Structures are given as C-alpha cells and as structure tokens.
Amino acid sequence: MTDSPQQDNIVTDIQNAFSDPQMVAKYTEGPPRFVPGYNSMLSMAAILLGERACEDARILVLGAGGGLELNAFAQAQPRWTFDGVDPSAAMLNLAKQTLGPLASRAHLHQGYIDDAPEGPFDGATCLLTLHFVDVEERLRIASEIRRRLKPGAPFVAAHFSIPGGDDDERPLWLSRYSAFLAAAGVEPDKAAAARKAVDGQLSILAPARDEAILRDAGFSVPTLFYIGFTFRGWVAYA
C-alpha cells in the first residue's frame, strides 16, 4: 500500500494537520474510516438534537471544519440553519465545498468558542474537538456553549475518552486504537506512530471525568449514547 496524504495526516503533528493544504484536501476521507461508526454517530447526533430542537432550529457547531457534521445535519433537517466555528480557514473553506448547495444555510466563523455568536441556540455540537484542549479549557468551552443555549436545549459532544484515564488501561486502549487503524488499511508503522501522536498530543480523560465536566459546566443529565472503541459521545441539556 503506497503512502497517501491522508495516512500522513494521522502521524504528523495533529494540530498542524488542519492547516496543511494536502492534508486538509483529504480530511473528509479520514473520520469515516478512522472513527468507529462515525456516520452512524452523526445520524444519532442529529436525532438527539431533533428531539428538542424545533423544525427551524438554529444549531451551533463548534469544530465545524471539514463540514461533515454540518452536511449530515443539514440533510437530516431541511429547515435548520447553522453557525459553524473553527480556527482553521482552510478547514472552513473545505466545509463550504462539502456543503455544496446547502452552504447557504450555514454561517461560518473562523475562531474559537469566544468568536461564536451569542445565540441563543436551539442545540449545539462539539464533535472530535474537545480532546485537543486541557481540562480547564474544556470546562470553559462547555460553559460558554451552555451559556449560548436556550433552556433545555441539547448539547452533543464526542471525542477520545478512555476507561481508566491515565492508569494502566490507557496503554491498552491506545494499542487497540492503533490496531483499529491497521485494520482500516493504515500501514503498521504509521498506525503505531498515530498511537504515539494521540498519546502525546491529545488530552484524553476517563468517561466519568468527561461527564463531570459537563455537569460542572451547568448541563443536566449527561447521557452516554455512543461508544466506538476509544471514542465516546454524550448528550446533555442546558
């Protein structure tokens, strides 16, 4: 199997990957292959948002670069509109391409949570993003999302979350992640390098701590709805 930009994207500096033109161009190929059950997770997220969001809901999508979740939500709910936020201009441009004719329903903002509109929003998501920041910033981001939501509005989050956190289970789960990448067609040495990059560059917590952060941010009833090997997803309510 020959090298490809997408494979390199897994093993280079994770943050810088979102600004490299070659890697950005191939980004949309990655999550469906390398996140177990990714497309089903997006479908479930849309259902959970739709349980409480109205037909013409306004949804905040933090970490919207690439546009995969925006596209999935826009197709699921033809009257929803979106505010997508991402620090990478290149990834936001890719989101426009991914959305195609649906792009008119999404307002895209370059930046971080503080650059997001005040709302109030009918729902929010933050998918495959919070593992890039430390615990204190994760709590601040969750609190800022909560502040922008209408009372009772749903918030859906999914990211790396490993049972046991920093104890002996962490190496085992990271090895399993590496094995999953290899099973998806990544060369073994690149899969091993991906494991090292994830271990060294991401802030991975235990599920109980992830849920505690949601509660500390003011959300109620954080409920686990998705487990994909080393990834977990929750829905909680403002």
Side-chain angles (χ1 to χ4, degrees):
M1 185 174 182
T2 59
D3 290 353
S4 70
Q6 179 57 48
Q7 289 173 343
D8 291 341
N9 185 27
I10 301 171
V11 301
T12 54
D13 184 273
I14 294 173
Q15 296 280 15
N16 291 338
F18 297 121
S19 59
D20 182 282
Q22 276 191 316
M23 296 175 186
V24 168
K26 293 286 187 178
Y27 171 81
T28 56
E29 300 174 10
R33 288 182 63 199
F34 305 131
V35 179
Y38 176 76
N39 289 325
S40 294
M41 184 265 286
L42 292 185
S43 296
M44 289 186 284
I47 290 169
L48 293 169
L49 291 172
E51 285 179 344
R52 298 200 181 190
C54 55
E55 289 185 359
D56 58 351
R58 184 185 179 196
I59 305 295
L60 174 63
V61 178
L62 188 64
L68 291 173
E69 59 263 62
L70 286 169
N71 188 57
F73 300 156
Q75 291 191 46
Q77 294 285 347
R79 294 180 57 192
W80 282 2
T81 58
F82 307 91
D83 282 89
V85 182
D86 197 278
S88 169
M91 290 290 285
L92 288 176
N93 287 333
L94 179 60
K96 292 179 184 177
Q97 298 174 32
T98 301
L99 283 165
L102 302 174
S104 62
R105 291 166 52 197
H107 300 281
L108 302 179
H109 311 269
Q110 184 178 1
Y112 301 89
I113 184 58
D114 297 319
D115 301 294
E118 287 295 305
F121 292 95
D122 299 287
T125 66
C126 189
L127 304 179
L128 307 184
T129 297
L130 289 176
H131 48 226
F132 289 114
V133 298
D134 62 24
V135 173
E136 290 185 3
E137 181 64 6
R138 195 178 300 199
L139 174 59
R140 192 185 76 83
I141 290 170
S143 299
E144 287 297 316
I145 292 172
R146 165 67 180 80
R147 187 174 65 80
R148 287 167 167 80
L149 291 175
K150 294 178 181 179
F155 171 49
V156 178
H159 42 262
F160 273 99
S161 184
I162 294 177
D166 294 329
D167 66 14
D168 291 341
E169 287 192 72
R170 181 184 177 102
L172 174 60
W173 278 103
L174 290 175
S175 293
R176 289 168 173 169
Y177 173 67
S178 179
F180 179 82
L181 294 181
V186 178
E187 293 179 358
D189 60 332
K190 295 184 182 298
R195 178 201 183 285
K196 183 177 180 180
V198 166
D199 192 22
Q201 297 180 39
L202 299 188
S203 176
I204 304 175
L205 307 180
R209 198 168 186 193
D210 275 311
E211 293 177 10
I213 287 173
L214 290 172
R215 287 191 293 268
D216 290 345
F219 288 101
S220 64
V221 201
T223 303
L224 184 70
F225 77 93
Y226 159 76
I227 300 176
F229 238 16
T230 51
F231 297 87
R232 277 167 169 73
W234 291 265
V235 60
Y237 302 95

